[in-house]
Amino acid sequence: MLITLPPDYKPSDDEAFMNPRQLAYFRQKLLRWRQDLLREAGETLSSMGQGGIVEADLTDRASVETDRALELRTRDRARKLVSKIDQALERVDNGTYGYCEETGEPIGLRRLEARPIATLSIEAQERHERMERVHRDD
């Protein structure tokens, strides 16, 4: 079912949670984010494929190599983010998007606006982070 959203549509707490309009809104948001990440990755690949390091000065060469390493780390993070976006799109398709994986409770529109790939409610995320700190300190 294809839903056309008005350009100024924003999900509201006055609506039923994860109604078809909200699902369409978040699907579009996730797809745009994914497209931007893939475009940026393509730009990185094309710029890195334009040849090797030609700087004669060792300091300049080291600077270029550091920049490339940083760019590759950034692209690796983006690749992992694309995977999380794909998982979120699967949740939109199977009707579980917007609900906490631990509790089944709604995650909340404000949290999803800020982090559309969220899988835990704020409370569940805080519990998870507290447990990580406790186990990390062991």
Side-chain angles (χ1 to χ4, degrees), residues 58-76:
L58 287 178
T59 305
D60 290 342
R61 181 177 288 240
S63 178
V64 169
E65 287 179 10
T66 301
D67 290 347
R68 280 189 170 190
L70 178 61
E71 186 65 30
L72 288 173
R73 274 197 309 272
T74 301
R75 287 302 132 231
D76 187 50

Side-chain angles (χ1 to χ4, degrees), residues 109-129:
L109 294 174
R110 289 182 61 205
R111 177 158 169 77
L112 290 170
E113 273 290 342
R115 184 131 178 100
I117 58 173
T119 59
L120 299 173
S121 66
I122 290 175
E123 296 81 10
Q125 182 68 38
E126 288 172 347
R127 277 194 307 274
H128 180 73
E129 289 173 4

Side-chain angles (χ1 to χ4, degrees), residues 92-108:
V92 169
D93 290 340
N94 69 26
T96 60
Y97 182 80
Y99 294 92
C100 179
E101 287 182 344
E102 277 187 13
T103 66
E105 295 292 317
I107 290 175

Side-chain angles (χ1 to χ4, degrees), residues 17-138:
F17 188 71
M18 287 302 127
N19 65 60
R21 286 174 57 145
Q22 288 182 356
L23 286 171
Y25 171 83
F26 284 108
R27 175 190 302 284
Q28 288 178 13
K29 185 177 184 90
L30 289 161
L31 287 170
R32 277 192 308 270
W33 191 13
R34 185 181 193 282
Q35 183 179 14
D36 290 345
L37 289 168
L38 292 175
R39 181 183 37 75
E40 290 169 8
E43 291 169 2
T44 298
L45 285 174
S46 67
S47 73
M48 291 186 127
Q50 291 177 354
I53 300 171
V54 295
E55 283 74 10
D57 181 61
L58 287 178
T59 305
D60 290 342
R61 181 177 288 240
S63 178
V64 169
E65 287 179 10
T66 301
D67 290 347
R68 280 189 170 190
L70 178 61
E71 186 65 30
L72 288 173
R73 274 197 309 272
T74 301
R75 287 302 132 231
D76 187 50
R77 285 221 295 296
R79 180 186 56 78
K80 291 174 184 171
L81 193 51
V82 167
S83 174
K84 289 181 179 185
I85 291 170
D86 289 341
Q87 291 169 7
L89 288 166
E90 284 179 34
R91 290 192 303 278
V92 169
D93 290 340
N94 69 26
T96 60
Y97 182 80
Y99 294 92
C100 179
E101 287 182 344
E102 277 187 13
T103 66
E105 295 292 317
I107 290 175
L109 294 174
R110 289 182 61 205
R111 177 158 169 77
L112 290 170
E113 273 290 342
R115 184 131 178 100
I117 58 173
T119 59
L120 299 173
S121 66
I122 290 175
E123 296 81 10
Q125 182 68 38
E126 288 172 347
R127 277 194 307 274
H128 180 73
E129 289 173 4
R130 274 194 303 273
M131 291 300 293
E132 277 184 345
R133 277 193 298 266
V134 166
H135 292 299
R136 186 179 56 212
D137 292 340
D138 289 346

